[in-house]
Amino acid sequence: DEAGVLDNFNNDYPVDQPTFYKLLRDQGGYHTMTTGKDDLTKATRMGTTVHYKGCPQCKDGDGLFHQEELGFSDGMRHSGKMDVVYTPEPAEMYGYYLRNQTLPHGITAWDSHRACFGKGDKSLCRNDTFYGELYEDNWVASNAVKLLNRAPKDKPWFLHVSFPGPHSPFLVTADMHNSVSNGQ
């Protein structure tokens, strides 16, 4: 493959190779933004497996790892679906968000989300109480609005929104659960 990324499983996009976003930003003068599922730094799990080598300002879950090199002026990058729960503790933005939310039955949304993906205590998988704001696609949409609100008003902008939703709904909200027969 000419891009240097052989598959969608364990690669990082080569940061020395220009991206569409970088060309828009550096040659077109655009403010480039991204949010949603990000596979551009999948091998290093957004820097967490290399302790953010080359990104001294990066912190756990901030999504900044190689953001500048990939061509983004701003972003709210995170892993998608299964990659969110790869580790026992959150390591990226969506996981941290879930860990900071408590569901009606007293457990964190992180523990419920992880359990629904077959990680951890299966009894914690509670689709019947997972509310809409926690659903990954809804969270991505909310972040897209935040990015648009903070985009500069004096230059053109480009926003890449990558919804994890094209995949099967591994975890559904209470409304989704209740909208079908017997919650199946």
mmCIF file of all heavy atoms in Angstrom, residues 109-151:
data_model
loop_
_atom_site.group_PDB
_atom_site.id
_atom_site.type_symbol
_atom_site.label_atom_id
_atom_site.label_comp_id
_atom_site.label_asym_id
_atom_site.label_seq_id
_atom_site.Cartn_x
_atom_site.Cartn_y
_atom_site.Cartn_z
ATOM 1 N N ALA A 109 -20.074 4.081 33.928
ATOM 2 C CA ALA A 109 -20.362 3.747 32.539
ATOM 3 C C ALA A 109 -19.184 2.990 31.924
ATOM 4 O O ALA A 109 -19.378 2.142 31.052
ATOM 5 C CB ALA A 109 -20.673 5.006 31.749
ATOM 6 N N TRP A 110 -17.966 3.266 32.401
ATOM 7 C CA TRP A 110 -16.777 2.540 31.931
ATOM 8 C C TRP A 110 -16.904 1.049 32.244
ATOM 9 O O TRP A 110 -16.699 0.216 31.371
ATOM 10 C CB TRP A 110 -15.516 3.113 32.560
ATOM 11 C CG TRP A 110 -14.316 2.230 32.440
ATOM 12 C CD1 TRP A 110 -13.775 1.430 33.406
ATOM 13 C CD2 TRP A 110 -13.515 2.014 31.269
ATOM 14 N NE1 TRP A 110 -12.689 0.746 32.912
ATOM 15 C CE2 TRP A 110 -12.507 1.089 31.605
ATOM 16 C CE3 TRP A 110 -13.553 2.514 29.968
ATOM 17 C CZ2 TRP A 110 -11.555 0.655 30.699
ATOM 18 C CZ3 TRP A 110 -12.599 2.084 29.058
ATOM 19 C CH2 TRP A 110 -11.609 1.171 29.432
ATOM 20 N N ASP A 111 -17.262 0.725 33.481
ATOM 21 C CA ASP A 111 -17.378 -0.686 33.864
ATOM 22 C C ASP A 111 -18.482 -1.383 33.065
ATOM 23 O O ASP A 111 -18.323 -2.528 32.645
ATOM 24 C CB ASP A 111 -17.639 -0.818 35.361
ATOM 25 C CG ASP A 111 -16.432 -0.422 36.197
ATOM 26 O OD1 ASP A 111 -15.288 -0.608 35.725
ATOM 27 O OD2 ASP A 111 -16.627 0.076 37.320
ATOM 28 N N SER A 112 -19.595 -0.705 32.847
ATOM 29 C CA SER A 112 -20.689 -1.283 32.074
ATOM 30 C C SER A 112 -20.274 -1.469 30.614
ATOM 31 O O SER A 112 -20.492 -2.534 30.029
ATOM 32 C CB SER A 112 -21.922 -0.388 32.162
ATOM 33 O OG SER A 112 -22.987 -0.940 31.443
ATOM 34 N N HIS A 113 -19.684 -0.459 30.034
ATOM 35 C CA HIS A 113 -19.249 -0.505 28.639
ATOM 36 C C HIS A 113 -18.260 -1.651 28.427
ATOM 37 O O HIS A 113 -18.390 -2.443 27.494
ATOM 38 C CB HIS A 113 -18.602 0.833 28.277
ATOM 39 C CG HIS A 113 -18.233 0.994 26.845
ATOM 40 N ND1 HIS A 113 -19.152 1.223 25.862
ATOM 41 C CD2 HIS A 113 -17.022 0.965 26.229
ATOM 42 C CE1 HIS A 113 -18.531 1.335 24.697
ATOM 43 N NE2 HIS A 113 -17.237 1.186 24.891
ATOM 44 N N ARG A 114 -17.295 -1.754 29.312
ATOM 45 C CA ARG A 114 -16.268 -2.799 29.225
ATOM 46 C C ARG A 114 -16.896 -4.189 29.349
ATOM 47 O O ARG A 114 -16.565 -5.105 28.602
ATOM 48 C CB ARG A 114 -15.234 -2.562 30.327
ATOM 49 C CG ARG A 114 -13.915 -3.131 30.017
ATOM 50 C CD ARG A 114 -12.811 -2.514 30.875
ATOM 51 N NE ARG A 114 -11.610 -3.140 30.426
ATOM 52 C CZ ARG A 114 -11.209 -4.334 30.831
ATOM 53 N NH1 ARG A 114 -11.893 -4.983 31.741
ATOM 54 N NH2 ARG A 114 -10.116 -4.873 30.329
ATOM 55 N N ALA A 115 -17.821 -4.337 30.289
ATOM 56 C CA ALA A 115 -18.485 -5.628 30.490
ATOM 57 C C ALA A 115 -19.295 -6.038 29.260
ATOM 58 O O ALA A 115 -19.328 -7.211 28.889
ATOM 59 C CB ALA A 115 -19.386 -5.572 31.719
ATOM 60 N N CYS A 116 -19.936 -5.075 28.625
ATOM 61 C CA CYS A 116 -20.729 -5.374 27.427
ATOM 62 C C CYS A 116 -19.857 -5.807 26.252
ATOM 63 O O CYS A 116 -20.344 -6.426 25.313
ATOM 64 C CB CYS A 116 -21.585 -4.173 27.047
ATOM 65 S SG CYS A 116 -22.935 -3.840 28.210
ATOM 66 N N PHE A 117 -18.590 -5.496 26.311
ATOM 67 C CA PHE A 117 -17.638 -5.931 25.289
ATOM 68 C C PHE A 117 -16.934 -7.217 25.686
ATOM 69 O O PHE A 117 -15.948 -7.614 25.083
ATOM 70 C CB PHE A 117 -16.604 -4.840 25.009
ATOM 71 C CG PHE A 117 -17.075 -3.816 24.022
ATOM 72 C CD1 PHE A 117 -17.711 -2.669 24.455
ATOM 73 C CD2 PHE A 117 -16.884 -4.004 22.674
ATOM 74 C CE1 PHE A 117 -18.145 -1.722 23.549
ATOM 75 C CE2 PHE A 117 -17.315 -3.068 21.753
ATOM 76 C CZ PHE A 117 -17.952 -1.918 22.197
ATOM 77 N N GLY A 118 -17.421 -7.868 26.757
ATOM 78 C CA GLY A 118 -16.844 -9.137 27.178
ATOM 79 C C GLY A 118 -15.592 -9.009 28.020
ATOM 80 O O GLY A 118 -14.856 -9.973 28.198
ATOM 81 N N LYS A 119 -15.362 -7.827 28.553
ATOM 82 C CA LYS A 119 -14.207 -7.597 29.416
ATOM 83 C C LYS A 119 -14.722 -7.334 30.826
ATOM 84 O O LYS A 119 -15.577 -6.490 31.032
ATOM 85 C CB LYS A 119 -13.405 -6.368 28.952
ATOM 86 C CG LYS A 119 -13.016 -6.376 27.499
ATOM 87 C CD LYS A 119 -11.841 -7.255 27.263
ATOM 88 C CE LYS A 119 -11.379 -7.133 25.819
ATOM 89 N NZ LYS A 119 -10.172 -7.850 25.571
ATOM 90 N N GLY A 120 -14.223 -8.043 31.784
ATOM 91 C CA GLY A 120 -14.650 -7.813 33.160
ATOM 92 C C GLY A 120 -15.923 -8.578 33.515
ATOM 93 O O GLY A 120 -16.327 -9.512 32.839
ATOM 94 N N ASP A 121 -16.559 -8.135 34.581
ATOM 95 C CA ASP A 121 -17.738 -8.775 35.157
ATOM 96 C C ASP A 121 -18.956 -8.600 34.243
ATOM 97 O O ASP A 121 -19.491 -7.503 34.116
ATOM 98 C CB ASP A 121 -17.998 -8.156 36.537
ATOM 99 C CG ASP A 121 -19.163 -8.778 37.261
ATOM 100 O OD1 ASP A 121 -19.899 -9.604 36.673
ATOM 101 O OD2 ASP A 121 -19.341 -8.429 38.444
ATOM 102 N N LYS A 122 -19.400 -9.671 33.617
ATOM 103 C CA LYS A 122 -20.505 -9.628 32.653
ATOM 104 C C LYS A 122 -21.801 -9.099 33.273
ATOM 105 O O LYS A 122 -22.629 -8.508 32.581
ATOM 106 C CB LYS A 122 -20.728 -11.031 32.067
ATOM 107 C CG LYS A 122 -21.612 -11.064 30.870
ATOM 108 C CD LYS A 122 -20.934 -10.432 29.671
ATOM 109 C CE LYS A 122 -21.761 -10.618 28.422
ATOM 110 N NZ LYS A 122 -21.444 -9.683 27.378
ATOM 111 N N SER A 123 -21.978 -9.263 34.583
ATOM 112 C CA SER A 123 -23.201 -8.784 35.225
ATOM 113 C C SER A 123 -23.290 -7.251 35.220
ATOM 114 O O SER A 123 -24.353 -6.693 35.463
ATOM 115 C CB SER A 123 -23.292 -9.304 36.665
ATOM 116 O OG SER A 123 -22.335 -8.670 37.490
ATOM 117 N N LEU A 124 -22.191 -6.582 34.923
ATOM 118 C CA LEU A 124 -22.191 -5.117 34.886
ATOM 119 C C LEU A 124 -22.666 -4.559 33.548
ATOM 120 O O LEU A 124 -22.850 -3.355 33.416
ATOM 121 C CB LEU A 124 -20.792 -4.582 35.197
ATOM 122 C CG LEU A 124 -20.217 -4.955 36.563
ATOM 123 C CD1 LEU A 124 -18.812 -4.391 36.722
ATOM 124 C CD2 LEU A 124 -21.132 -4.481 37.686
ATOM 125 N N CYS A 125 -22.861 -5.425 32.573
ATOM 126 C CA CYS A 125 -23.362 -4.989 31.268
ATOM 127 C C CYS A 125 -24.844 -4.678 31.410
ATOM 128 O O CYS A 125 -25.677 -5.567 31.513
ATOM 129 C CB CYS A 125 -23.142 -6.079 30.214
ATOM 130 S SG CYS A 125 -23.778 -5.621 28.586
ATOM 131 N N ARG A 126 -25.164 -3.394 31.424
ATOM 132 C CA ARG A 126 -26.540 -2.968 31.672
ATOM 133 C C ARG A 126 -27.018 -2.039 30.565
ATOM 134 O O ARG A 126 -27.041 -0.824 30.725
ATOM 135 C CB ARG A 126 -26.622 -2.256 33.030
ATOM 136 C CG ARG A 126 -26.263 -3.110 34.231
ATOM 137 C CD ARG A 126 -27.349 -4.137 34.528
ATOM 138 N NE ARG A 126 -28.634 -3.528 34.769
ATOM 139 C CZ ARG A 126 -29.087 -3.171 35.961
ATOM 140 N NH1 ARG A 126 -28.366 -3.378 37.043
ATOM 141 N NH2 ARG A 126 -30.274 -2.618 36.085
ATOM 142 N N ASN A 127 -27.401 -2.606 29.443
ATOM 143 C CA ASN A 127 -27.913 -1.800 28.340
ATOM 144 C C ASN A 127 -29.172 -1.032 28.718
ATOM 145 O O ASN A 127 -29.467 0.006 28.148
ATOM 146 C CB ASN A 127 -28.250 -2.696 27.135
ATOM 147 C CG ASN A 127 -27.012 -3.208 26.451
ATOM 148 O OD1 ASN A 127 -25.952 -2.608 26.548
ATOM 149 N ND2 ASN A 127 -27.148 -4.314 25.766
ATOM 150 N N ASP A 128 -29.917 -1.546 29.676
ATOM 151 C CA ASP A 128 -31.191 -0.923 30.022
ATOM 152 C C ASP A 128 -31.039 0.416 30.731
ATOM 153 O O ASP A 128 -32.007 1.146 30.870
ATOM 154 C CB ASP A 128 -32.034 -1.880 30.872
ATOM 155 C CG ASP A 128 -31.349 -2.306 32.167
ATOM 156 O OD1 ASP A 128 -30.097 -2.371 32.203
ATOM 157 O OD2 ASP A 128 -32.071 -2.589 33.138
ATOM 158 N N THR A 129 -29.838 0.762 31.165
ATOM 159 C CA THR A 129 -29.661 2.040 31.860
ATOM 160 C C THR A 129 -28.587 2.917 31.215
ATOM 161 O O THR A 129 -28.244 3.948 31.743
ATOM 162 C CB THR A 129 -29.288 1.809 33.337
ATOM 163 O OG1 THR A 129 -28.094 1.038 33.395
ATOM 164 C CG2 THR A 129 -30.400 1.125 34.085
ATOM 165 N N PHE A 130 -28.040 2.506 30.096
ATOM 166 C CA PHE A 130 -26.989 3.275 29.422
ATOM 167 C C PHE A 130 -27.670 4.395 28.647
ATOM 168 O O PHE A 130 -28.301 4.163 27.621
ATOM 169 C CB PHE A 130 -26.213 2.341 28.479
ATOM 170 C CG PHE A 130 -24.787 2.724 28.279
ATOM 171 C CD1 PHE A 130 -23.832 2.441 29.240
ATOM 172 C CD2 PHE A 130 -24.381 3.345 27.118
ATOM 173 C CE1 PHE A 130 -22.503 2.775 29.054
ATOM 174 C CE2 PHE A 130 -23.063 3.686 26.913
ATOM 175 C CZ PHE A 130 -22.122 3.394 27.888
ATOM 176 N N TYR A 131 -27.595 5.628 29.129
ATOM 177 C CA TYR A 131 -28.358 6.714 28.533
ATOM 178 C C TYR A 131 -27.667 7.304 27.301
ATOM 179 O O TYR A 131 -26.472 7.114 27.079
ATOM 180 C CB TYR A 131 -28.720 7.792 29.554
ATOM 181 C CG TYR A 131 -27.586 8.333 30.387
ATOM 182 C CD1 TYR A 131 -26.893 9.463 29.992
ATOM 183 C CD2 TYR A 131 -27.218 7.719 31.578
ATOM 184 C CE1 TYR A 131 -25.861 9.962 30.756
ATOM 185 C CE2 TYR A 131 -26.185 8.220 32.355
ATOM 186 C CZ TYR A 131 -25.508 9.341 31.929
ATOM 187 O OH TYR A 131 -24.479 9.834 32.683
ATOM 188 N N GLY A 132 -28.467 8.003 26.488
ATOM 189 C CA GLY A 132 -28.064 8.460 25.163
ATOM 190 C C GLY A 132 -26.779 9.251 25.081
ATOM 191 O O GLY A 132 -26.012 9.105 24.135
ATOM 192 N N GLU A 133 -26.517 10.126 26.047
ATOM 193 C CA GLU A 133 -25.307 10.951 26.000
ATOM 194 C C GLU A 133 -24.040 10.112 26.066
ATOM 195 O O GLU A 133 -22.973 10.545 25.663
ATOM 196 C CB GLU A 133 -25.293 11.970 27.151
ATOM 197 C CG GLU A 133 -26.378 13.024 27.067
ATOM 198 C CD GLU A 133 -27.725 12.517 27.568
ATOM 199 O OE1 GLU A 133 -27.779 11.529 28.339
ATOM 200 O OE2 GLU A 133 -28.739 13.111 27.182
ATOM 201 N N LEU A 134 -24.157 8.889 26.590
ATOM 202 C CA LEU A 134 -22.988 8.026 26.719
ATOM 203 C C LEU A 134 -22.716 7.203 25.467
ATOM 204 O O LEU A 134 -21.620 6.682 25.295
ATOM 205 C CB LEU A 134 -23.173 7.061 27.902
ATOM 206 C CG LEU A 134 -23.317 7.706 29.269
ATOM 207 C CD1 LEU A 134 -23.588 6.647 30.325
ATOM 208 C CD2 LEU A 134 -22.081 8.501 29.614
ATOM 209 N N TYR A 135 -23.720 7.071 24.607
ATOM 210 C CA TYR A 135 -23.550 6.286 23.387
ATOM 211 C C TYR A 135 -22.449 6.927 22.541
ATOM 212 O O TYR A 135 -22.441 8.143 22.324
ATOM 213 C CB TYR A 135 -24.873 6.224 22.628
ATOM 214 C CG TYR A 135 -24.872 5.267 21.472
ATOM 215 C CD1 TYR A 135 -24.685 3.901 21.679
ATOM 216 C CD2 TYR A 135 -25.073 5.723 20.180
ATOM 217 C CE1 TYR A 135 -24.698 3.009 20.612
ATOM 218 C CE2 TYR A 135 -25.095 4.835 19.116
ATOM 219 C CZ TYR A 135 -24.896 3.489 19.343
ATOM 220 O OH TYR A 135 -24.903 2.608 18.285
ATOM 221 N N GLU A 136 -21.521 6.129 22.070
ATOM 222 C CA GLU A 136 -20.316 6.680 21.434
ATOM 223 C C GLU A 136 -20.628 7.602 20.262
ATOM 224 O O GLU A 136 -20.016 8.670 20.130
ATOM 225 C CB GLU A 136 -19.394 5.544 20.999
ATOM 226 C CG GLU A 136 -17.994 6.006 20.710
ATOM 227 C CD GLU A 136 -16.993 4.866 20.576
ATOM 228 O OE1 GLU A 136 -17.383 3.684 20.599
ATOM 229 O OE2 GLU A 136 -15.808 5.174 20.433
ATOM 230 N N ASP A 137 -21.558 7.259 19.403
ATOM 231 C CA ASP A 137 -21.887 8.136 18.280
ATOM 232 C C ASP A 137 -22.484 9.461 18.749
ATOM 233 O O ASP A 137 -22.199 10.517 18.174
ATOM 234 C CB ASP A 137 -22.871 7.451 17.328
ATOM 235 C CG ASP A 137 -22.185 6.481 16.378
ATOM 236 O OD1 ASP A 137 -20.944 6.354 16.426
ATOM 237 O OD2 ASP A 137 -22.890 5.838 15.591
ATOM 238 N N ASN A 138 -23.313 9.425 19.769
ATOM 239 C CA ASN A 138 -23.884 10.667 20.306
ATOM 240 C C ASN A 138 -22.800 11.536 20.922
ATOM 241 O O ASN A 138 -22.809 12.760 20.797
ATOM 242 C CB ASN A 138 -24.962 10.355 21.339
ATOM 243 C CG ASN A 138 -26.143 9.639 20.726
ATOM 244 O OD1 ASN A 138 -26.273 9.535 19.517
ATOM 245 N ND2 ASN A 138 -27.009 9.118 21.575
ATOM 246 N N TRP A 139 -21.851 10.912 21.594
ATOM 247 C CA TRP A 139 -20.735 11.633 22.203
ATOM 248 C C TRP A 139 -19.874 12.274 21.115
ATOM 249 O O TRP A 139 -19.440 13.418 21.243
ATOM 250 C CB TRP A 139 -19.931 10.675 23.081
ATOM 251 C CG TRP A 139 -18.874 11.317 23.890
ATOM 252 C CD1 TRP A 139 -19.042 12.110 24.993
ATOM 253 C CD2 TRP A 139 -17.457 11.214 23.695
ATOM 254 N NE1 TRP A 139 -17.819 12.504 25.486
ATOM 255 C CE2 TRP A 139 -16.842 11.961 24.700
ATOM 256 C CE3 TRP A 139 -16.674 10.548 22.757
ATOM 257 C CZ2 TRP A 139 -15.463 12.086 24.805
ATOM 258 C CZ3 TRP A 139 -15.302 10.653 22.859
ATOM 259 C CH2 TRP A 139 -14.708 11.412 23.870
ATOM 260 N N VAL A 140 -19.639 11.544 20.028
ATOM 261 C CA VAL A 140 -18.870 12.080 18.899
ATOM 262 C C VAL A 140 -19.583 13.299 18.315
ATOM 263 O O VAL A 140 -18.958 14.326 18.040
ATOM 264 C CB VAL A 140 -18.650 11.001 17.820
ATOM 265 C CG1 VAL A 140 -18.115 11.599 16.532
ATOM 266 C CG2 VAL A 140 -17.693 9.927 18.333
ATOM 267 N N ALA A 141 -20.889 13.213 18.118
ATOM 268 C CA ALA A 141 -21.657 14.340 17.581
ATOM 269 C C ALA A 141 -21.545 15.560 18.488
ATOM 270 O O ALA A 141 -21.363 16.686 18.016
ATOM 271 C CB ALA A 141 -23.118 13.942 17.393
ATOM 272 N N SER A 142 -21.624 15.340 19.785
ATOM 273 C CA SER A 142 -21.487 16.436 20.744
ATOM 274 C C SER A 142 -20.107 17.081 20.650
ATOM 275 O O SER A 142 -19.970 18.307 20.701
ATOM 276 C CB SER A 142 -21.743 15.906 22.153
ATOM 277 O OG SER A 142 -21.535 16.896 23.116
ATOM 278 N N ASN A 143 -19.081 16.258 20.491
ATOM 279 C CA ASN A 143 -17.722 16.791 20.358
ATOM 280 C C ASN A 143 -17.548 17.567 19.057
ATOM 281 O O ASN A 143 -16.823 18.563 19.010
ATOM 282 C CB ASN A 143 -16.692 15.665 20.439
ATOM 283 C CG ASN A 143 -16.547 15.136 21.845
ATOM 284 O OD1 ASN A 143 -16.890 15.795 22.815
ATOM 285 N ND2 ASN A 143 -16.045 13.923 21.962
ATOM 286 N N ALA A 144 -18.212 17.127 17.989
ATOM 287 C CA ALA A 144 -18.148 17.849 16.718
ATOM 288 C C ALA A 144 -18.713 19.260 16.885
ATOM 289 O O ALA A 144 -18.135 20.238 16.385
ATOM 290 C CB ALA A 144 -18.903 17.088 15.630
ATOM 291 N N VAL A 145 -19.811 19.366 17.602
ATOM 292 C CA VAL A 145 -20.406 20.686 17.850
ATOM 293 C C VAL A 145 -19.446 21.555 18.665
ATOM 294 O O VAL A 145 -19.261 22.743 18.379
ATOM 295 C CB VAL A 145 -21.779 20.542 18.553
ATOM 296 C CG1 VAL A 145 -22.299 21.890 19.026
ATOM 297 C CG2 VAL A 145 -22.773 19.859 17.627
ATOM 298 N N LYS A 146 -18.802 20.975 19.671
ATOM 299 C CA LYS A 146 -17.821 21.727 20.469
ATOM 300 C C LYS A 146 -16.690 22.246 19.595
ATOM 301 O O LYS A 146 -16.254 23.394 19.740
ATOM 302 C CB LYS A 146 -17.254 20.850 21.587
ATOM 303 C CG LYS A 146 -18.224 20.550 22.685
ATOM 304 C CD LYS A 146 -17.634 19.582 23.701
ATOM 305 C CE LYS A 146 -18.684 19.124 24.689
ATOM 306 N NZ LYS A 146 -18.189 18.080 25.591
ATOM 307 N N LEU A 147 -16.180 21.401 18.700
ATOM 308 C CA LEU A 147 -15.098 21.831 17.812
ATOM 309 C C LEU A 147 -15.548 22.957 16.890
ATOM 310 O O LEU A 147 -14.815 23.929 16.674
ATOM 311 C CB LEU A 147 -14.573 20.651 16.991
ATOM 312 C CG LEU A 147 -13.737 19.641 17.759
ATOM 313 C CD1 LEU A 147 -13.511 18.387 16.922
ATOM 314 C CD2 LEU A 147 -12.409 20.237 18.192
ATOM 315 N N LEU A 148 -16.745 22.846 16.344
ATOM 316 C CA LEU A 148 -17.261 23.908 15.481
ATOM 317 C C LEU A 148 -17.408 25.219 16.245
ATOM 318 O O LEU A 148 -17.093 26.292 15.721
ATOM 319 C CB LEU A 148 -18.617 23.505 14.887
ATOM 320 C CG LEU A 148 -18.565 22.448 13.799
ATOM 321 C CD1 LEU A 148 -19.977 22.006 13.428
ATOM 322 C CD2 LEU A 148 -17.812 22.948 12.580
ATOM 323 N N ASN A 149 -17.841 25.140 17.487
ATOM 324 C CA ASN A 149 -18.013 26.351 18.296
ATOM 325 C C ASN A 149 -16.699 27.036 18.626
ATOM 326 O O ASN A 149 -16.667 28.248 18.833
ATOM 327 C CB ASN A 149 -18.775 26.034 19.579
ATOM 328 C CG ASN A 149 -20.240 25.800 19.333
ATOM 329 O OD1 ASN A 149 -20.807 26.285 18.354
ATOM 330 N ND2 ASN A 149 -20.868 25.029 20.196
ATOM 331 N N ARG A 150 -15.609 26.278 18.673
ATOM 332 C CA ARG A 150 -14.323 26.906 18.992
ATOM 333 C C ARG A 150 -13.435 27.137 17.767
ATOM 334 O O ARG A 150 -12.317 27.618 17.887
ATOM 335 C CB ARG A 150 -13.605 26.124 20.080
ATOM 336 C CG ARG A 150 -13.137 24.748 19.738
ATOM 337 C CD ARG A 150 -12.650 24.056 20.991
ATOM 338 N NE ARG A 150 -11.859 22.873 20.729
ATOM 339 C CZ ARG A 150 -11.680 21.886 21.585
ATOM 340 N NH1 ARG A 150 -12.261 21.943 22.777
ATOM 341 N NH2 ARG A 150 -10.935 20.859 21.284
ATOM 342 N N ALA A 151 -13.943 26.836 16.578
ATOM 343 C CA ALA A 151 -13.191 27.093 15.349
ATOM 344 C C ALA A 151 -13.076 28.596 15.122
ATOM 345 O O ALA A 151 -14.004 29.349 15.437
ATOM 346 C CB ALA A 151 -13.885 26.438 14.158
#
